Amino acid sequence: MKVADSQKDWLAKAREVLDIEARGLVAVRDHLGDSFVRALEIMAGCSGRVVVTGLGKSGLVGRKIAATLSSTGTPSFFLHPVEGAHGDLGMIRREDVIVAISNSGETDELNNILPSLKSLAGHVISLTGGIHSTMARLSDVLIDTSVPCEACPHGLAPTASTTATLAVGDALAVCLIDWKSFALDDFRRFHPGGALGQRLTKRVEELMRFSPLPVVPSGASLGQALDVLNAGGLGCVCVVDGGGHLLGLLTDGDVRRLVCAGRLALDAVVDSVMTASPLHATPGQKAAEVLDIMESRAITVLPVVAPDQTLAGMVHMHDVLGQGRVKFSRS
């Protein structure tokens, strides 16, 4: 193990890394142009949510960007591209804006869902260093986040590129703060002690939906379940027994997978295709805990099960966040 006289070498190496990352930031700053302003206009005019997506290190950066946007007045959430390909695209609405992140612009899992995202949402903004990449071609607006080199000596581990992308996300968020005149009092409302913080301390039973619930009895046909799912507006249907105990859950994603596999048979018994013993919340759980579960599993709705395993209600992410009572703009 190197000691004492090698300290100067390690400090020099650390400073070299920071110098490389600083040069990357300067390069990205110099790349900014009309496309950044266009992206800002689109995000400022978004009447839905800014949906950030990316894989691997880009996904981690995306989660932070989404969190920063949400806490500063621009509603946002992170969509995992793999989960998106397996049904979670159902949470995208026409009024949403997509922000896709990939350093190379050639992330297959992300590019595979971009055509669907473009058809579902209003605009796709890409943050990428691959300005001639597949992702760039599939995007409406491109922000160039290319850096001269990575700090990793092998050029493999994302370092300068992720720092630069994160900084561009901060630049977008801070510009939106100014655009929307998002003030200190607004910031306080979105953090612990404010309206959202107080809401997240509530129990699920205070926020959940009691009726009508999208429910079918065990033994119902898949066709019957689809009718209830379509009318329910929550993206899922609960399967219960004669005593009201939750047996399973059928989601939009499950149906999509059945269709893709050629296994959608409307006369099939719903029990044969449902997810048995699904993830659920309990009435006494704190809303913040349920929100963590939803975010970590990339889901937007959970059945709520009483101690006797009967279905007590359902809770949607919008119920937790306030159904419009928590305001994300001053208008």
Side-chain angles (χ1 to χ4, degrees):
M1 182 178 179
K2 297 182 178 181
V3 293
D5 61 349
S6 66
Q7 181 178 9
K8 182 179 179 180
D9 293 335
W10 292 119
L11 287 176
K13 183 64 178 177
R15 288 170 179 145
E16 177 187 352
V17 169
L18 295 179
D19 285 342
I20 291 172
E21 302 219 0
R23 288 196 293 272
L25 288 173
V26 171
V28 171
R29 181 199 64 189
D30 293 344
H31 295 157
L32 294 183
D34 292 343
S35 63
F36 180 88
V37 178
R38 178 58 183 147
L40 189 64
E41 290 172 343
I42 291 171
M43 294 170 70
C46 175
S47 60
R49 294 82 43 88
V50 174
V51 182
V52 186
T53 184
L55 193 66
K57 305 299 188 298
S58 292
L60 296 174
V61 170
R63 288 179 185 275
K64 192 274 179 184
I65 291 174
T68 300
L69 288 169
S70 286
S71 69
T72 53
T74 301
S76 181
F77 69 88
F78 178 79
L79 172 70
H80 194 291
V82 176
E83 295 296 337
H86 290 278
D88 284 353
L89 293 187
M91 67 180 72
I92 307 299
R93 298 293 178 262
R94 190 64 192 169
E95 61 270 21
D96 296 339
V97 170
I98 308 300
V99 174
I101 303 173
S102 169
N103 184 41
S104 67
E106 298 296 348
T107 304
D108 289 340
E109 295 88 345
L110 183 52
N111 289 337
N112 287 342
I113 66 169
L114 275 183
S116 295
L117 286 171
K118 286 192 70 171
S119 70
L120 294 169
H123 295 86
V124 174
I125 299 166
S126 65
L127 306 185
T128 181
I131 60 174
H132 302 297
S133 64
T134 302
M135 189 173 88
R137 293 195 299 272
L138 291 171
S139 303
D140 299 305
V141 180
L142 163 69
I143 297 179
D144 183 358
T145 58
S146 59
V147 297
C149 65
E150 300 286 9
C152 169
H154 306 296
L156 298 174
T159 45
S161 59
T162 48
T163 299
T165 302
L166 188 60
V168 169
D170 286 342
L172 288 167
V174 172
C175 287
L176 287 167
I177 289 174
D178 190 31
W179 187 302
K180 298 182 176 185
S181 299
F182 187 82
L184 180 60
D185 287 344
D186 298 308
F187 187 84
R188 286 173 177 157
R189 288 191 295 120
F190 297 151
H191 290 75
L196 180 55
Q198 292 172 7
R199 190 168 187 81
L200 293 180
T201 64
K202 290 189 174 183
R203 295 188 302 275
V204 169
E205 61 189 339
E206 299 176 78
L207 304 174
M208 68 184 186
R209 306 181 188 198
F210 295 93
S211 65
L213 297 177
V215 173
V216 295
S218 175
S221 70
L222 179 56
Q224 292 172 311
L226 290 180
D227 286 339
V228 174
L229 187 152
N230 184 55
L234 289 176
C236 65
V237 58
C238 297
V239 181
V240 298
D241 65 14
H245 302 93
L246 180 66
L247 300 179
L249 195 71
L250 182 73
T251 68
D252 284 335
D254 295 328
V255 175
R256 189 189 303 264
R257 285 184 282 275
L258 287 172
V259 171
C260 291
R263 296 174 46 226
L264 185 67
L266 296 181
D267 58 351
V269 178
V270 68
D271 304 58
S272 66
V273 294
M274 70 183 185
T275 298
S277 303
L279 187 68
H280 61 269
T282 59
Q285 276 185 289
K286 290 292 179 62
E289 181 182 350
V290 172
L291 188 60
D292 282 342
I293 294 172
M294 290 177 171
E295 196 279 333
S296 65
R297 300 296 185 91
I299 55 179
T300 58
V301 65
L302 281 175
V304 182
V305 175
D308 63 359
Q309 298 306 302
T310 57
L311 181 66
M314 299 193 75
V315 61
H316 193 283
M317 184 177 288
H318 292 167
D319 302 324
V320 177
L321 294 178
Q323 289 185 311
R325 286 184 289 275
V326 177
K327 299 296 183 183
F328 290 93
S329 70
R330 294 172 66 88
S331 59

